[in-house]
């Protein structure tokens, strides 16, 4: 029972971290809207969340995951299969945005797209915070018995 509760909170915490990183990227794109040669960046949130939580596409479809786990003797002294230190945060794959309009300065920032992405990500960030608050409130109610 406790594993399900902590898994839910860990999932929401990973989602919150990725949402804040995406918000930072979108804000950077907006700030560089007038910078000549700047190429807007973003990442696929769904695949980044799957990578961060260790879920494969098979696990997302409801089938059991067949991910191979390596045996380690130390939690921090080993490298993972991808060469990162054990426990290191997974960085999302960054993508470059294609320019929707041709610009003389080769800037690919589309302010309409960036504003819409910023607003959408803000709403989803707040929803994730509400999920976390609701989970903590439910836990608190269950513990205190009120």
């Amino acid at each position: 029972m406790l594993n399900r509760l902590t898994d839910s909170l860990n999932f929401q915490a990973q989602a919150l971290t990725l949402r804040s990183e995406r918000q930072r990227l979108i804000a950077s794109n907006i700030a560089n809207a007038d910078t000549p040669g700047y190429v807007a960046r973003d990442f696929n949130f769904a695949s980044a969340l799957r990578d961060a939580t260790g879920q494969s596409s098979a696990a997302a479809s409801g089938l059991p995951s067949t991910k191979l786990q390596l045996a380690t003797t130390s939690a921090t002294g080993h490298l993972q299969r991808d060469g990162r230190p054990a426990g290191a945060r997974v960085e999302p794959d960054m993508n470059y945005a294609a320019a929707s309009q041709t610009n003389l300065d080769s800037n690919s920032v589309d302010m309409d797209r960036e504003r819409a992405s910023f607003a959408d990500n803000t709403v989803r960030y707040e929803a994730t915070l509400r999920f976390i608050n609701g989970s903590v409130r439910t836990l608190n109610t269950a513990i205190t018995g009120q």
Side-chain angles (χ1 to χ4, degrees):
M1 178 69 177
L2 187 61
N3 288 342
R4 288 189 351 205
L5 296 174
T6 57
D7 286 346
S8 174
L9 286 175
N10 288 339
F11 177 82
Q12 295 298 337
Q14 288 290 336
L16 195 64
T17 301
L18 287 171
R19 288 275 173 220
S20 66
E21 178 64 21
R22 185 155 189 256
Q23 198 76 344
R24 187 191 64 77
L25 275 176
I26 295 169
S28 175
N29 291 343
I30 291 171
N32 287 295
D34 294 329
T35 304
Y38 182 80
V39 180
R41 298 188 72 182
D42 202 356
F43 61 88
N44 184 340
F45 181 81
S47 67
L49 185 60
R50 256 193 318 274
D51 292 344
T53 58
Q55 295 177 349
S56 65
S57 58
S61 67
L63 298 174
S65 176
T66 58
K67 201 170 202 181
L68 177 65
Q69 297 295 323
L70 297 176
T72 59
T73 57
S74 171
T76 58
H78 294 282
L79 293 178
Q80 295 178 355
R81 288 183 292 176
D82 59 2
R84 291 180 297 111
R89 199 177 90 178
V90 175
E91 295 293 326
D93 293 329
M94 298 295 172
N95 300 323
Y96 292 102
S100 59
Q101 300 177 26
T102 57
N103 294 340
L104 293 176
D105 62 359
S106 301
N107 188 310
S108 69
V109 175
D110 180 9
M111 285 302 287
D112 293 332
R113 178 183 60 211
E114 298 300 327
R115 285 185 191 118
S117 296
F118 192 86
D120 178 63
N121 196 58
T122 300
V123 168
R124 293 174 189 263
Y125 183 89
E126 289 178 9
T128 305
L129 281 175
R130 288 179 190 260
F131 285 134
I132 291 172
N133 285 338
S135 296
V136 170
R137 207 173 305 123
T138 301
L139 282 172
N140 191 23
T141 302
I143 290 170
T144 59
Q146 296 179 1

